[in-house]
Amino acid sequence: MSIRLLCCHCLLCIVLILPKYTPAQAPWKVRATTINPADYYGITVANGMIGVVSSPEPFKVKDVVLAGAYDLYGRGRVSNFLRSFNLLNMYLDIDGQRISSKGVSNMQQELDLRHASFTTSFDYGDKATVSYSYYSLRHLPFTVLMDITITAKKNINISAASVMEAPDALKEVQNYYNEIDRPHVVLSLLTSTALSPTGKLQLCASNTFLFAEPHGQEPRVIHEMWDNNMHLMKFSRTLQAGQTYRFSIAGSSITSAHHDDPLNEAERLTIFARLEGRDRLLRFHNKAWDELWKSDITIEGDAQSQQDIHSMLYHLYSFSREGTALSPSPMGLSGLGYNGHVFWDTELWMYPALLVLHPEIAKSMVEYRFQRLEAAKRNAFAHGYKGAMFPWESAGTGVEETPVWALSGPFEHHITADVAFAAWNYYAVTQDKNWLRTTGWPLLSATADFWASRVERNGPGKYDIKNVVAADEWAENVDNNAFTNAAAKANLQYATEAAKLLGITPDPDWIHVANNIPILKMEDGVTREHASYNGEGIKQADVNLLAYPLKEITDPKQIRKDLNYYETRVPNEGTPAMTHAVFALLYARLGEGEKAYQVFKEAYQPNLNPPFRVIAETKGGTNPYFTTGAGGMIQSILMGFGGLDITPKGIVQVKSKLPALWKSLTITGIGVEKKTVVVK
């Protein structure tokens, strides 16, 4: 794989977008010095399996979300993400008074993007300064750690408790407390188990204290049972003025979706963490993140964009994981948004950035689809088609999980081509023919069979794809949608090419169908979004995706014509961040660096929420974190300003343009060979 290093000359003027927040100085730290609980949108610490969402209340976390755990309850009569046991909530009493947000001063919170830690610090009157940090340990998928430090300003008595509480949706909660006494260690295990709402899954969590004192000098731990849904373990300690005291809590959460014996495994994993010890846990966690950040994006000359890009990359890395066969939902592990389901958001928006920077993580996302291929074949059969028809919303089993009131479930068929797009591009980046034969080919051939049966053959050039929900989801039950048709063509072409690479004779009907699927035009030459489109507002990029990533349209004049038209069809509200991300990418490739930068900022700045600049789905929205938008923005950097392009022969670089504000753009860790590109 070769990458050509191009130097892009920037224009002399720049359109400045005033930021919603004070410009950041720290590229790796997102800091909140004013905590307003009434206007607070938490930020997530995650390791691709466990997500822990911050709270403005001291020693509390808002949510603990575990990837891959679904059950039928709540919204839409379909499978939903489950809140796990909140195994990091605790309380701290000083001289008999419980610490809360009302009794503290100088409270600050900070996310360290480089090593994925969230720290809260504050003063408690004239008695103590307190700081605590928590981690979703990157090297241990089911394990978290909280580190607490108390510095006494005067002689004080402290009482600290780890509180295990079951979410309301869980049932048949059982609580356990065990002490394991060995000559070299005493372990106190606070454990809970429960069933998911239908009883389908068993959810379990366990945690323990890690003390810094030598064995035999640790505080005495006491267990208290409050009710069936909550219990705790606590200890007390006297501190002298000026003394700093530190302790930690390590815990694990796992379900029967991940392990056949989750109750015992939760305790085993917690014991493992306890005996590894705080220092080793943090060393291996930091080392794992250092490895991830070998694939990075560095912007010289724009501190706020640099911090924002690091935050977006951090979230993509946090919400995905190598070796899981799981795929992130639009909101990742930041909560229960979109029921934790998997959409095209993964394949079209998050996946390409991860494929370029960490192919091993991207492989997990394709494996998620491959393991659900049989369910997709059953879905095609039920709709009268051949091959495999992937569901618009997928969860644990790969059946359709879209609520019935959303027409996207039965009709947004482009998702099947999006899955094929991801499979083909994994091969393109890695050139792994063995993978192509065992995993890629079954996906590509089955999805190609779907489209060959899905088209309606109405004569040459009129192999129509009728009655779909477009990529622009405001266009429902339309014919010959531009993105759907172009994606289907690409799917058929990818399958044909894959067959040739593997020495397999491709079905000749695939390329015949591809050559007859129409892409419609309006009278002025603009690509028509669908057969009945007449200038309406659009929710999402649709036609413009034919230029990137599909490469159906390659003529710069046509790309510009379509951009100029559809950019004016996007309303100011109600549209997702990734629409403008595509516009920015295309403008950068067209050599309009200043216009690209203006649109780049417009894509996400109006979507930011305090105090950590977390991205919501839409302008003024309040449903962070929108990982789909982050994926789109990272693509605008990698493939737009950076000019990276995925081709059948690997990753190359095409012409692009930086804004004048950016002195340089450096992308490290590209592809399997971990190349570096510098654009100036």
Side-chain angles (χ1 to χ4, degrees), residues 528-652:
R528 186 183 292 274
E529 187 184 272
H530 54 80
S532 53
Y533 181 77
N534 195 29
E536 298 85 359
I538 63 172
K539 176 184 177 183
Q540 283 134 318
D542 190 304
V543 164
N544 307 104
L545 296 174
L546 275 63
Y548 174 87
L550 295 181
K551 303 178 187 177
E552 170 70 25
I553 296 174
T554 57
D555 176 17
K557 291 182 180 179
Q558 185 66 51
I559 293 171
R560 193 182 303 275
K561 181 187 286 282
D562 290 344
L563 257 179
N564 291 340
Y565 182 87
Y566 285 102
E567 190 181 5
T568 65
R569 269 47 184 192
V570 182
N572 289 328
E573 296 180 354
T575 57
M578 65 275 195
T579 298
H580 281 87
V582 170
F583 296 161
L585 185 157
L586 293 174
Y587 276 121
R589 286 190 169 193
L590 289 170
E592 297 188 34
E594 307 312 319
K595 174 67 173 178
Y597 181 74
Q598 176 188 352
V599 178
F600 168 76
K601 287 293 188 179
E602 184 181 352
Y604 76 94
Q605 282 202 147
N607 303 49
L608 298 178
N609 282 288
F612 303 108
R613 299 176 67 84
V614 293
I615 301 176
E617 182 173 5
T618 59
K619 297 176 182 179
T622 57
N623 62 338
Y625 187 91
F626 189 49
T627 327
T628 309
M633 300 313 303
I634 296 299
Q635 285 190 71
S636 74
I637 300 290
L638 297 174
M639 287 78 158
F641 297 110
L644 301 183
D645 195 45
I646 297 172
T647 76
K649 301 298 184 182
I651 301 173
V652 301

Side-chain angles (χ1 to χ4, degrees), residues 391-608:
W392 179 243
E393 296 189 33
S394 182
T397 65
V399 302
E400 182 63 72
E401 299 270 10
T402 304
V404 294
W405 46 260
L407 299 183
S408 48
F411 295 106
E412 197 153 356
H413 295 170
H414 67 78
I415 181 64
T416 295
D418 303 334
V419 172
F421 163 86
W424 174 248
N425 279 344
Y426 181 80
Y427 167 75
V429 167
T430 65
Q431 299 292 300
D432 185 343
K433 278 193 178 180
N434 183 59
W435 179 91
L436 182 63
R437 184 178 301 277
T438 60
T439 303
W441 170 249
L443 286 166
L444 289 164
S445 58
T447 51
D449 285 342
F450 167 77
W451 291 112
S453 70
R454 176 67 178 82
V455 298
E456 299 178 29
R457 307 186 186 209
N458 296 313
K462 295 183 179 180
Y463 280 29
D464 303 313
I465 303 176
K466 295 188 174 184
N467 199 22
V468 298
V469 170
D472 165 23
E473 290 176 321
W474 287 345
E476 296 180 326
N477 300 103
V478 298
D479 298 338
N480 287 325
N481 165 239
F483 179 77
T484 303
N485 284 21
K489 288 182 66 174
N491 189 163
L492 292 158
Q493 291 161 357
Y494 299 153
T496 300
E497 185 62 25
K500 293 176 181 177
L501 286 167
L502 295 172
I504 298 170
T505 301
D507 185 338
D509 192 46
W510 292 344
I511 205 68
H512 170 71
V513 171
N515 291 336
N516 283 283
I517 294 175
I519 305 296
L520 306 181
K521 293 285 185 71
M522 294 191 277
E523 291 183 2
D524 59 2
V526 171
T527 305
R528 186 183 292 274
E529 187 184 272
H530 54 80
S532 53
Y533 181 77
N534 195 29
E536 298 85 359
I538 63 172
K539 176 184 177 183
Q540 283 134 318
D542 190 304
V543 164
N544 307 104
L545 296 174
L546 275 63
Y548 174 87
L550 295 181
K551 303 178 187 177
E552 170 70 25
I553 296 174
T554 57
D555 176 17
K557 291 182 180 179
Q558 185 66 51
I559 293 171
R560 193 182 303 275
K561 181 187 286 282
D562 290 344
L563 257 179
N564 291 340
Y565 182 87
Y566 285 102
E567 190 181 5
T568 65
R569 269 47 184 192
V570 182
N572 289 328
E573 296 180 354
T575 57
M578 65 275 195
T579 298
H580 281 87
V582 170
F583 296 161
L585 185 157
L586 293 174
Y587 276 121
R589 286 190 169 193
L590 289 170
E592 297 188 34
E594 307 312 319
K595 174 67 173 178
Y597 181 74
Q598 176 188 352
V599 178
F600 168 76
K601 287 293 188 179
E602 184 181 352
Y604 76 94
Q605 282 202 147
N607 303 49
L608 298 178

Side-chain angles (χ1 to χ4, degrees), residues 62 182 197 216-217 245 270 309 312 314 338 394 418 485 509 611 620 628 639 643 646 648:
K62 179 178 181 286
R182 291 291 189 272
Q217 300 178 29
Y245 184 73
T270 297
I309 287 299
M312 294 171 196
Y314 159 84
Y338 283 108
S394 182
D418 303 334
N485 284 21
D509 192 46
T628 309
M639 287 78 158
I646 297 172

